[in-house]
Structure formats: structure tokens, C-alpha cells
Amino acid sequence: MSVFDRSSKDLPPTDFPSVLPVPVFDSLVLTASKILHKEPNCLTIEPDHESSAAAAAASVVIVGDLHGQLHDFLFLLQDAGFPSENRFFVFNGDYVDRGAWGLETFLILLAWKVFMPHRVYLLRGNHESKYCTSVYGFEKEVLTKYGDKGKHVYRKCLGCFEGLPLASIIAGRVYTAHGGLFRSVSMTPSKRSKGKKNRRLSFNSEPKPLALGSLEELSKARRSVLDPPWEGVNLIPGDVLWSDPSAKPGLSPNNERGIGLLWGPDCTEDFLKRFNLKLIIRSHEGPDAREKRPGFGGMEEGYTVDHVVESGKLITLFSAPDYPQFQATEKRYKNKGAYIVLEAPNFDHPKFHTFEAISPRPQVNAYYDYEDVIDSDEELDLASMVTASEETS
């Protein structure tokens, strides 16, 4: 962490291989990927069962979007306290893109994962994908920092993204994910193809009314895709990574984003009650996104409480202060970042910790055209997503 901090201030990005040579990168990513790919889609985290009884009571730190803002991330770790035997961390995804140090941020997280695999848990965000990283800067950042080895490094990162779990359940009381809830995709099998060679099930994919999915369905989804599909039968990963809450009741397509769902307070209540949960903690929306969402609080403090229902609450958590790092307008959002601490015995009473951005940030150029690029991931270019996936596969 200290080496990356110093190099971000003292060295040009093209010198990064002298800081972390490619063989060291390869070893770290391979080791981390093996751990991540073995984890289930929805992690079960039981802090009281896993922590040391002789030490202090366990706590769990929940972190939202980081978006390559390395120095703010390092401050968060110091402020919250580093992972330890009794301090668990759950990161809700979006480690890369927009900020200039997505690679350093992601590699530090992988190092912590390798060092403390049962204390540090990394979930996938919608930006841990081929499409988003090709638009919002991470691909260009990697190619700039690693030069002729850049494509190799980028491919390894994409492979690691595919292994990131989608969600977590903490102490049986708290559900966390990047975007949030997801639909049921239970489908009725149609006739089996004749012949022994082609005995694959086909499905009747006639549209059905949208309904909330179950944790069992989440556990069976196929997460190892470069870009979660917005159509077909494997819709749960896209929902978990891209969906947003709504002030209106019900479940509907998320037309603003072109992928995922919008879910209302009634769905939050249904999900909490059905699975005996108290909290949903999701991320995915920064101050730019919230500016366009009437009926919802802004992200000035780094978090909002979006739904308060009989069974509990829905919280949006955003951990990148003064976001985005690069803005086309003179007026900045100047939002704070936040993280949540859950403490024993029940782990369902969130304690919010807010913090300001580290200033000044080291001078650096953006890795994407922030003046022209679409704001807050809206109106996805679905055709580009298909092309991006085909090029990598």
C-alpha cells in the first residue's frame, strides 16, 4: 500500500512495471483468482463463529464504490482499521474505472484477499466487466501502465472479475450486493430433444410477470461472464449488479440503465421478510446518479436510507468522496465517502462513518473522455456490450 501510494505521487504511470513486475502481478492474480472462483455466488459470513473468542468482539466493515480513488481508499482502511482476526471487510464492488488508480486499488484488494481470505470478501460491481472497463478508463489505464504487456494484464484482470462473488449474507441478518435485488428466473422445461447425443434441456422463455428471485436461484446463477447478459435465461447476475431501488411499489425493468430492475419498498419488505433479514446494503449510485433520481436523497454524506419498511431498511452506500475524480463542469459534487460498521452480537444496527476526500490528489490525466462519456452508466450501448464480449471470447 505504501509503495503504491508513493509511486502514484513520484513516478509516471509508465514506470508501474518497475513497481510491480509482470511476474509478480501474474502470481498475485492467479492466487487470488483460485480463491475467488471457489467461493459461492452468495457468501455466507458468520463473524461470531469465525472470529477468535479470546479477542475483542467481531465487527464487519462494509465498503461501497471505490472507483480507482486510491488515496481515499487508503484513508478508509486506516480510518476503519485494517482487516484482522476480528475485523471483517465486505467490499460491494466497483473498484475500477473513472478514477486514475483502479489497477492499484484492485491489486491491493487482491493482496488482502490472498493474505486474509476468510476476513476480506470482494463482491463484483457492474464496472468489473469488459464493457464498462472499455468505456470508463480501466482498460486504457492498464495498457498505459504496462505497455506491451498491457493486453496480457488486462485479460488477467477480466478473468479475475469473472470469479468475484455476487452477494453476501452477514450473520444471517444483512444482505449486501452492488446493485441489489433480482428477479426469479424459474422456467418450465419444454420437451427434451430426441436422441442420446443432444439431451440438453430447452426452455419455454415466454415472458412472465416479474417476481423477486430466491437465494437458491441466486446460488445457481452463472456468474462467470465478462458482461452480464440483459436477455436470455442468465439474468440474475445483471440484476444483482445493475438494479436500483425505486420509490414506487413493484418490480419493473430498469429502462434508464437498459439492464437490471427497479424495485419498490414492497419488494424490499418481501425480500427481508422472506429470508428473515434486517438490512439490505447496496451501492452502485454516486452523486451523479442520485442527482437524476427524484424522490431519493442525494449522496452528499456517502450514504442514504432509501426504504424503511416493517422488517428493516434498505441502504445505499458510496465510498468514493469528491466523485468522480474527473469532471467536465467547474462545479463539483464534493460528496463525502462513507463506510458502515456492523457490530456483535446481531450485526444489524449500522454505524455510519463519513470522510472527506484526500486533498490535493496527485496530478494525473484521465484514462477516458470524461467530457463526452455517458454519465452514471445510463442508457447502455448494448450493441457495444455484445461486440466487447465477442472480441474477448
Side-chain angles (χ1 to χ4, degrees):
M1 291 187 293
S2 61
V3 169
F4 284 178
D5 186 22
R6 283 200 305 274
S7 67
S8 71
K9 298 169 183 173
D10 299 339
L11 296 177
T14 50
D15 280 6
F16 195 71
S18 69
V19 180
L20 193 81
V22 172
V24 182
F25 166 87
D26 285 344
S27 179
L28 173 59
V29 170
L30 176 63
T31 308
S33 291
K34 285 180 177 178
I35 297 169
L36 293 167
H37 279 273
K38 288 177 182 176
E39 292 181 328
N41 287 345
C42 185
L43 300 162
T44 300
I45 302 168
E46 296 288 353
D48 265 354
H49 297 175
E50 297 177 42
S51 59
S52 168
S59 64
V60 183
V61 180
I62 315 294
V63 181
D65 297 39
L66 295 170
H67 281 298
Q69 296 184 191
L70 172 67
H71 309 90
D72 302 318
F73 167 47
L74 294 178
F75 174 82
L76 184 158
L77 285 177
Q78 291 170 339
D79 195 56
F82 295 128
S84 66
E85 180 66 23
N86 288 72
R87 186 180 294 117
F88 295 66
F89 273 77
V90 178
F91 292 87
N92 264 358
D94 274 17
Y95 313 118
V96 303
D97 280 342
R98 290 205 172 90
W101 302 281
L103 185 60
E104 289 91 332
T105 300
F106 187 54
L107 292 173
I108 287 169
L109 287 166
L110 293 186
W112 275 112
K113 182 63 183 176
V114 170
F115 186 51
M116 305 191 79
H118 301 294
R119 294 296 179 270
V120 175
Y121 294 96
L122 309 179
L123 305 185
R124 187 173 182 176
N126 64 301
H127 278 264
E128 279 72 58
S129 65
K130 169 68 176 165
Y131 170 76
C132 282
T133 54
S134 68
V135 174
Y136 294 98
F138 182 67
E139 179 181 20
K140 186 177 178 184
E141 176 192 346
V142 172
L143 297 179
T144 300
K145 289 176 178 174
Y146 273 105
D148 59 351
K149 293 289 186 180
K151 286 187 177 179
H152 163 82
V153 169
Y154 179 57
R155 279 196 299 269
K156 293 288 185 183
C157 287
L158 291 180
C160 198
F161 292 165
E162 287 190 315
L164 292 167
L166 300 175
S168 76
I169 300 284
I170 301 166
R173 307 298 273 166
V174 182
Y175 168 85
T176 86
H178 182 70
L181 301 189
F182 51 94
R183 77 192 78 196
S184 174
V185 292
S186 53
M187 311 196 71
T188 52
S190 62
K191 292 179 182 177
R192 206 180 269 274
S193 304
K194 289 184 179 179
K196 292 183 180 179
K197 288 185 179 179
N198 298 312
R199 302 201 71 172
R200 291 195 304 178
L201 279 175
S202 56
F203 293 89
N204 292 323
S205 54
E206 296 168 9
K208 293 182 178 180
L210 284 171
L212 275 180
S214 67
L215 294 177
E216 182 183 5
E217 288 177 284
L218 174 60
S219 72
K220 294 177 180 176
R222 187 169 69 88
R223 76 174 190 255
S224 57
V225 289
L226 284 170
D227 290 300
W230 66 95
E231 59 185 5
V233 296
N234 192 33
L235 293 171
I236 285 178
D239 287 349
V240 173
L241 301 185
W242 284 93
S243 294
D244 296 301
S246 170
K248 298 177 181 176
L251 206 56
S252 61
N254 195 338
N255 293 324
E256 281 292 312
R257 295 194 188 267
I259 185 171
L261 302 170
L262 293 171
W263 81 90
D266 56 328
C267 299
T268 293
E269 170 62 22
D270 182 14
F271 190 81
L272 292 173
K273 190 173 183 179
R274 199 188 332 171
F275 300 110
N276 195 30
L277 301 166
K278 288 291 184 185
L279 291 175
I280 297 170
I281 303 176
R282 46 89 63 175
S283 300
H284 192 37
E285 291 185 282
D288 52 346
R290 277 300 167 94
E291 189 177 52
K292 301 163 187 171
R293 299 258 280 147
F296 279 102
M299 205 47 67
E300 294 87 359
E301 297 298 314
Y303 69 93
T304 57
V305 179
D306 299 324
H307 295 162
V308 179
V309 294
E310 185 179 348
S311 295
K313 294 176 182 176
L314 164 71
I315 295 165
T316 295
L317 177 68
F318 199 78
S319 302
D322 192 22
Y323 170 89
Q325 180 179 347
F326 303 100
Q327 269 182 244
T329 57
E330 278 190 39
K331 185 181 177 185
R332 299 185 66 84
Y333 293 106
K334 294 186 178 177
N335 63 294
K336 294 177 183 176
Y339 61 90
I340 287 172
V341 178
L342 305 173
E343 296 177 336
N346 297 324
F347 300 95
D348 57 7
H349 291 286
K351 291 189 175 180
F352 298 96
H353 296 255
T354 64
F355 60 99
E356 303 270 3
I358 295 297
S359 180
R361 289 177 175 137
Q363 286 293 313
V364 67
N365 294 322
Y367 293 105
Y368 70 111
D369 186 352
Y370 60 91
E371 293 187 6
D372 291 336
V373 82
I374 302 164
D375 280 343
S376 61
D377 311 343
E378 288 179 358
E379 301 169 17
L380 283 184
D381 183 349
L382 301 180
S384 293
M385 285 181 75
V386 173
T387 305
S389 295
E390 288 174 348
E391 285 173 353
T392 313
S393 58

